[in-house]
Amino acid sequence: MRTFKTRSLSIAFALLALAVGTVAVAGNAQAAGKKYNVYLSMSYIGNDWQSEAKNMVTAMSKYYSDKVNFHVQVAGTNAQKQIQQINGMVQAGADAIIVYPISPNALNAVVRNACRRGVVVMAYDSEITEPCAHNVTIDQHEAGTKTAQWLADTLDHKGNIVMVTGVPGTSVDKARTEAAMKVFKKYPNLHVIAKPNGMWSQAVARKVLSQVVATHGWDNIDGLWMQVGCYTATSMQIEAGIPNDKLRPCAGEASNGHRVQMLASDAVKGASDTYKPVGLKSISYGSPIYSGALAFKLALAKLEGKKQSLPHHIKLPLPLATSDEVKLCQTGSYKELADGCNVFDPSRVPPGWFSDIYSKDTPEVGFQAALNAKPEPRP
């Protein structure tokens, strides 16, 4: 939950404070008026999460635009292309590379070379196994385990489950799926009847789930575990005429559409179609959108501190909310986010937009950062 703390995160920000406090001594490049060259290396971008995370990293770079020159490159799902791009970043004089790795292992050699040349490499959400890289992520096994256990308990440990997984090859998808399957296998009366790949996309989730429903029918589906797609699955049921009290419980992502559906039916006025509160029985977890922005901030702190080190695995708290824990944001202000709101009015953001954007450690970026890549005003 939001009050959860980890030792590694506390260490990281103790170091961050120390680095900022020693800028005058350590920041030789800054003293000379030179800006640091910071690159964002993205892999797969065909979903809302990646676009929103990019917005938050970009907003963080704008907040510190007096200190950095910021560059973005996209490799898609091609690990070799990402390797080539990172090589090019190093050759172009990168001081830090913030990376969403398409593979936990494929980038190791190029990352090792970057580290040897003094480049700070920070991976966010998905991990890199090269020891010199820094990883900023939740415990993906915890995400898979807790959501699967909630679904198993909600179904009284019996029934048919459909799983919709994420982008194959990433450490995120592998860890979540393996952890969830380990839970489901504990119960002999729980059956996973389909496990299509949803690519962390609402559109892809609709396509693959439509194929599952065509084969099995909703009558033979008792619950859903989806890395992304609970909003879509619930919308499909509403469109099929299934009443609110018969909607299948869904363990899934922190998309705003999903969390709006989890609200009590009278929570939002004027909502229509399927993007509306229906009292869905659900659990929603997030892979924090701010993780890339936090990686950027930590990389900058390390550059400014020079001799200061950061943990190589920085574990973030797992954002997790059940239907009775979703709270509507009225304005989206940073203060309101800090007070615990975690879902936005349907009139303000699209349903695929991810609502887990708050961290006390990134006050530079908030609602407008995630929506429009605009940082918070400087104090």
Side-chain angles (χ1 to χ4, degrees):
M1 297 289 187
R2 297 190 184 278
T3 56
F4 180 76
K5 300 286 192 299
T6 67
R7 175 177 171 82
S8 56
L9 188 60
S10 298
I11 292 171
F13 274 90
L15 291 167
L16 174 62
L18 181 58
V20 170
T22 58
V23 169
V25 175
N28 293 331
Q30 285 290 294
K34 174 190 171 184
K35 291 185 178 183
Y36 298 112
N37 285 311
V38 180
Y39 285 79
L40 174 61
S41 171
M42 299 184 68
S43 54
Y44 183 73
I45 59 169
N47 56 51
D48 298 281
W49 192 96
Q50 292 285 15
S51 298
E52 199 174 334
K54 175 179 177 289
N55 280 350
M56 295 201 82
V57 179
T58 302
M60 186 67 82
S61 75
K62 291 177 180 177
Y63 192 91
Y64 291 107
S65 61
D66 60 327
K67 298 181 179 182
V68 301
N69 292 313
F70 183 59
H71 317 268
V72 181
Q73 293 189 21
V74 178
T77 57
N78 189 325
Q80 187 57 42
K81 184 175 181 180
Q82 191 168 36
I83 291 168
Q84 292 170 351
Q85 289 182 347
I86 292 173
N87 261 326
M89 294 171 189
V90 174
Q91 292 168 7
D95 294 298
I97 299 173
I98 315 303
V99 56
Y100 193 101
I102 191 59
S103 164
N105 304 311
L107 306 184
N108 282 358
V110 71
V111 168
R112 192 179 310 120
N113 176 62
C115 292
R116 286 172 179 168
R117 297 182 62 170
V119 180
V120 178
V121 180
M122 304 281 299
Y124 65 98
D125 190 51
S126 189
E127 295 188 39
I128 296 174
T129 56
E130 165 54 43
C132 76
H134 302 274
N135 295 285
V136 181
T137 181
I138 60 171
D139 184 332
Q140 304 291 354
H141 284 93
E142 180 186 18
T145 299
K146 287 191 173 181
T147 53
Q149 190 64 58
W150 176 90
L151 183 59
D153 294 344
T154 299
L155 295 175
D156 294 325
H157 311 124
K158 61 181 182 293
N160 294 332
I161 294 171
V162 173
M163 299 179 70
V164 177
T165 60
V167 175
T170 62
S171 61
V172 175
D173 176 60
K174 184 175 185 291
R176 290 179 186 173
T177 303
E178 287 180 352
M181 284 299 300
K182 186 175 181 180
V183 171
F184 296 145
K185 286 179 179 178
K186 292 191 302 183
Y187 305 105
N189 293 322
L190 274 180
H191 308 287
V192 177
I193 60 171
K195 194 168 66 172
N197 188 274
M199 296 298 287
W200 298 332
S201 163
Q202 298 289 343
V204 177
R206 178 177 283 272
K207 178 181 178 180
V208 298
L209 192 54
S210 295
Q211 295 169 347
V212 173
V213 172
T215 301
H216 297 278
W218 283 112
D219 289 344
N220 292 311
I221 299 172
D222 299 297
L224 301 116
W225 182 92
M226 308 182 75
Q227 290 192 32
V228 169
C230 281
Y231 166 72
T232 291
T234 304
S235 296
M236 291 171 64
Q237 293 173 74
I238 295 170
E239 292 161 1
I242 297 174
N244 291 354
D245 62 346
K246 301 295 183 183
L247 295 169
R248 278 50 172 179
C250 192
E253 80 292 351
S255 73
N256 204 65
H258 179 203
R259 287 194 172 175
V260 165
Q261 291 172 337
M262 291 167 66
L263 290 166
S265 57
D266 60 351
V268 177
K269 295 181 180 179
S272 60
D273 299 322
T274 63
Y275 192 13
K276 64 183 179 182
V278 294
L280 176 67
K281 185 181 293 185
S282 190
I283 189 168
S284 168
Y285 73 98
S287 200
I289 293 291
Y290 65 81
S291 60
L294 177 58
F296 181 105
K297 183 175 179 178
L298 292 174
L300 179 59
K302 184 170 183 180
L303 289 171
E304 292 183 326
K306 298 301 182 184
K307 295 182 180 180
Q308 303 306 321
S309 61
L310 289 170
H312 287 275
H313 286 86
I314 299 167
K315 181 182 173 185
L316 303 178
L318 176 65
L320 201 65
T322 55
S323 299
D324 59 352
E325 294 169 328
V326 287
K327 179 181 177 182
L328 188 65
C329 298
Q330 300 298 327
T331 66
S333 69
Y334 191 83
K335 182 182 183 304
E336 191 179 21
L337 290 168
D339 288 340
C341 75
N342 53 16
V343 59
F344 296 83
D345 190 290
S347 65
R348 307 200 69 187
V349 296
W353 195 85
F354 282 79
S355 51
D356 271 319
I357 60 175
Y358 169 76
S359 169
K360 68 179 181 61
D361 296 315
T362 55
E364 301 90 342
V365 292
F367 178 60
Q368 287 301 321
L371 193 62
N372 299 312
K374 295 180 179 179
E376 292 291 292
R378 283 188 173 274

